């Protein structure tokens, strides 16, 4: 509903740019704000409507010097371990070798942030309001309609954005580019699969790309992925199908395998209050009082863990389910009862991806593609040639 209030810069209104808008982010803060040193996956134009922002920017080629935190190689983003407000050169000596640029923008200014440029931002002012237009990781530009298109400031409502958010529910932030990140990669997979993409092929890929999960999760995701793509129910996907997919199909496919960032959901509390911390609160209260009362637990859950009364009540209600009341005796706090009470927290614990697993994944990925290409080369020859 606010898209008509945002004007897109003329440089994005024609050619390849026009259909490359990935997501739109509204940034708001009051009495100052600060980011870590990080990089983003997409190109962006950041326009400041009110306040002041100080940007420190570092070229991607200096990434090896910024003390980047480890992440799996499949991730495109990244961030530095350096505390930007208290730089420790004994702990992070290489940061002193990094050339950086400083930019200050005020209300009415826009700043272009290239993909993968490291940046750290300080927001100043009683109210700070900005809009970021994120667009594809383009390497080439085609100006096919720039001589006929009106190249002028244009309301965002006149554009189709890959990932919109209705203002409620899970936020569509941080997802893949539907064209370069999804459609193009699907074409590559079809080529690797000898012209066809099947559920089994997707299963094998997920096993390779997500080794931290078990085969049951791989199969569940493979089934959801293939169901999203097999709109004609023919049992395989080919290049013609991929060319015909609209963005709704590509969105459904992306959501079927991409892990939702917990902070983008309405149920974030299940992720930021940890089961072991909740268990610790319960143990301390029982040791102190010899029992667990509703009022004591909810008070401790909200004050010590920063949770809300709603979610604290959910835990206690599940502890007394079938019995009722506001007191749980020690004898009833059995492991299975506690696991039941914390079910929605426990199921959100993700398996850890380690550097060793990531290295093995890279090797398996290389072997997988070499085998696929080798098989394709064999299939291109006739029996007589072999």
């Amino acid at each position: 509903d606010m898209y008509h209030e945002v004007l897109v810069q003329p440089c994005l209104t024609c050619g390849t740019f026009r259909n490359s808008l990935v997501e739109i982010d509204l940034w708001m803060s009051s009495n100052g704000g600060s980011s870590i040193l990080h990089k983003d996956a997409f190109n962006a134009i950041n326009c400041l409507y009110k306040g002041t922002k100080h940007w420190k920017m570092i070229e991607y080629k200096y990434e090896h010097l910024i003390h980047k935190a480890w992440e799996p190689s499949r991730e495109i983003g990244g961030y530095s371990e350096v505390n930007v407000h208290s730089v420790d050169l004994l702990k992070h000596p290489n940061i002193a070798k990094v050339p950086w640029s400083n930019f200050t923008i005020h209300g009415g200014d826009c700043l272009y942030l290239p993909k993968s440029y490291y940046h750290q931002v300080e927001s100043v002012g009683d109210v700070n309001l900005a809009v970021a237009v994120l667009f594809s990781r383009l390497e080439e530009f085609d100006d096919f309609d720039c001589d006929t298109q009106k190249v002028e400031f244009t309301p965002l409502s006149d554009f189709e954005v890959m990932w919109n958010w209705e203002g409620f529910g899970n936020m569509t932030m941080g997802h893949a580019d539907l064209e370069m990140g999804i459609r193009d990669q699907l074409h590559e997979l079809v080529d690797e699969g000898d012209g066809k993409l099947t559920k089994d092929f997707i299963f094998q890929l997920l096993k390779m790309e997500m080794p931290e999960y078990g085969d049951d999760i791989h199969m569940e995701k493979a089934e959801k992925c293939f169901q999203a793509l097999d709109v004609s129910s023919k049992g395989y996907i080919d290049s013609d199908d991929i060319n015909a997919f609209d963005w709704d199909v590509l969105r459904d496919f992306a959501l079927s395998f991409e892990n939702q960032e917990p902070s983008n959901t309405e149920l974030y509390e299940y992720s930021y209050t940890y089961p072991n911390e909740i268990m610790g609160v319960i143990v301390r209260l029982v040791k102190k009082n010899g029992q667990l009362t509703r009022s004591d637990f909810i008070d401790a859950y909200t004050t010590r863990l920063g949770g809300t009364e709603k979610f604290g009540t959910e835990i206690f209600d599940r502890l007394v389910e079938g019995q009722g009341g506001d007191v749980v005796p020690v004898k009833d706090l059995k492991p299975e009862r506690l696991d039941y009470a914390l079910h929605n927290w426990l199921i959100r614990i993700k398996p850890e991806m380690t550097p060793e697993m990531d290295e093995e994944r890279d090797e398996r990925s290389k072997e997988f593609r070499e085998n696929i290409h080798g098989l394709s080369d064999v299939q291109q020859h006739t029996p007589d040639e072999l």
Side-chain angles (χ1 to χ4, degrees):
D1 290 343
M2 297 173 63
Y3 274 13
H4 67 282
E5 301 180 39
V6 176
L7 294 179
V8 176
Q9 290 68 30
C11 58
L12 295 179
T13 59
C14 73
T16 311
F17 285 143
R18 186 172 183 87
N19 295 313
S20 68
L21 304 191
V22 179
E23 70 179 54
I24 312 298
D25 298 334
L26 177 66
W27 295 99
M28 296 183 292
S29 65
S30 59
N31 298 318
S34 178
S35 78
I36 60 174
L37 177 61
H38 67 288
K39 67 176 179 178
D40 296 330
F42 300 112
N43 293 297
I45 291 184
N46 293 265
C47 292
L48 189 59
Y49 284 69
K50 188 174 179 62
T52 297
K53 287 186 184 291
H54 303 294
W55 291 72
K56 291 182 176 63
M57 298 174 63
I58 297 172
E59 291 183 71
Y60 174 72
K61 65 182 179 181
Y62 299 113
E63 182 178 58
H64 65 289
L65 297 174
I66 59 110
H67 299 276
K68 180 186 176 185
W70 182 84
E71 286 185 319
S73 56
R74 66 191 179 210
E75 302 294 339
I76 301 178
Y79 65 96
S80 169
E81 294 179 330
V82 174
N83 181 339
V84 297
H85 297 295
S86 181
V87 178
D88 186 340
L89 291 179
L90 295 177
K91 188 177 181 180
H92 303 120
N94 290 331
I95 197 69
K97 306 172 186 176
V98 178
W100 53 276
S101 301
N102 186 59
F103 298 91
T104 296
I105 62 174
H106 305 280
D109 292 337
C110 293
L111 179 144
Y112 167 56
L113 179 67
K115 61 180 173 65
S116 296
Y117 240 73
Y118 277 89
H119 56 286
Q120 190 273 327
V121 187
E122 299 285 337
S123 298
V124 182
D126 293 338
V127 176
N128 200 283
L129 178 65
V131 173
V133 178
L134 276 61
F135 58 99
S136 301
R137 298 169 58 87
L138 299 170
E139 299 290 344
E140 298 178 351
F141 176 73
D142 185 344
D143 63 354
F144 61 91
D145 66 347
C146 291
D147 55 344
T148 58
Q149 190 85 13
K150 271 193 172 183
V151 183
E152 60 185 7
F153 285 98
T154 306
L156 182 57
S157 53
D158 289 357
F159 293 79
E160 187 173 4
V161 179
M162 295 182 190
W163 294 97
N164 292 302
W165 186 53
E166 301 299 328
F168 57 87
N170 291 356
M171 291 179 65
T172 52
M173 183 179 183
H175 290 302
D177 181 326
L178 296 180
E179 292 296 337
M180 295 181 66
I182 300 296
R183 196 189 305 274
D184 288 356
Q185 289 194 15
L186 284 173
H187 276 300
E188 290 179 13
L189 293 177
V190 164
D191 291 341
E192 291 176 353
D194 193 28
K196 292 182 180 179
L197 180 62
T198 64
K199 181 176 70 176
D200 182 65
F201 192 90
I202 294 175
F203 172 72
Q204 298 299 330
L205 280 172
L206 290 172
K207 283 186 64 174
M208 177 183 64
E209 295 290 338
M210 307 173 75
E212 70 270 33
Y213 291 92
D215 281 356
D216 55 338
I217 300 297
H218 294 143
M219 181 53 71
E220 178 183 341
K221 286 182 176 288
E223 289 174 347
K224 288 181 180 179
C225 287
F226 192 73
Q227 183 179 4
L229 295 176
D230 192 18
V231 292
S232 60
S233 301
K234 63 182 182 181
Y236 66 89
I237 311 299
D238 57 28
S239 291
D240 290 337
D241 296 320
I242 297 170
N243 288 331
F245 289 154
D246 59 24
W247 279 1
D248 287 335
V249 172
L250 297 178
R251 286 189 197 100
D252 289 342
F253 171 71
L255 292 172
S256 67
F257 73 89
E258 286 190 342
N259 290 322
Q260 179 72 46
E261 165 58 38
S263 61
N264 292 344
T265 74
E266 294 179 303
L267 305 178
Y268 183 34
E269 192 164 331
Y270 289 132
S271 298
Y272 80 74
T273 51
Y274 298 105
N276 62 319
E277 295 176 337
I278 300 172
M279 286 292 297
V281 165
I282 293 173
V283 169
R284 284 192 293 272
L285 290 174
V286 169
K287 284 183 177 180
K288 178 181 178 182
N289 304 320
Q291 61 182 8
L292 185 68
T293 68
R294 182 184 294 272
S295 59
D296 285 344
F297 172 73
I298 292 178
D299 178 68
Y301 178 77
T302 55
T303 58
R304 296 182 189 177
L305 302 184
T308 62
E309 183 177 348
K310 175 183 176 181
F311 283 74
T313 299
E314 176 190 326
I315 294 171
F316 203 90
D317 284 347
R318 291 174 75 94
L319 282 173
V320 298
E321 189 172 301
Q323 301 171 359
D326 296 322
V327 178
V328 183
V330 175
K331 64 180 180 63
D332 291 339
L333 290 171
K334 294 180 170 57
E336 58 271 17
R337 171 67 61 173
L338 292 166
D339 285 350
Y340 176 72
L342 298 178
H343 173 74
N344 285 322
W345 282 260
L346 293 169
I347 62 175
R348 284 170 171 79
I349 298 177
K350 295 179 181 178
E352 182 181 3
M353 179 71 161
T354 65
E356 293 75 21
M357 294 169 67
D358 194 48
E359 186 176 342
E360 182 181 350
R361 167 202 166 274
D362 289 342
E363 289 297 323
R364 291 174 60 186
S365 176
K366 182 179 178 181
E367 292 175 5
F368 180 83
R369 283 173 167 78
E370 286 177 350
N371 290 337
I372 290 294
H373 293 149
L375 180 60
S376 298
D377 291 342
V378 169
Q379 292 174 339
Q380 289 173 5
H381 291 80
T382 66
D384 290 341
E385 291 174 318
L386 296 174

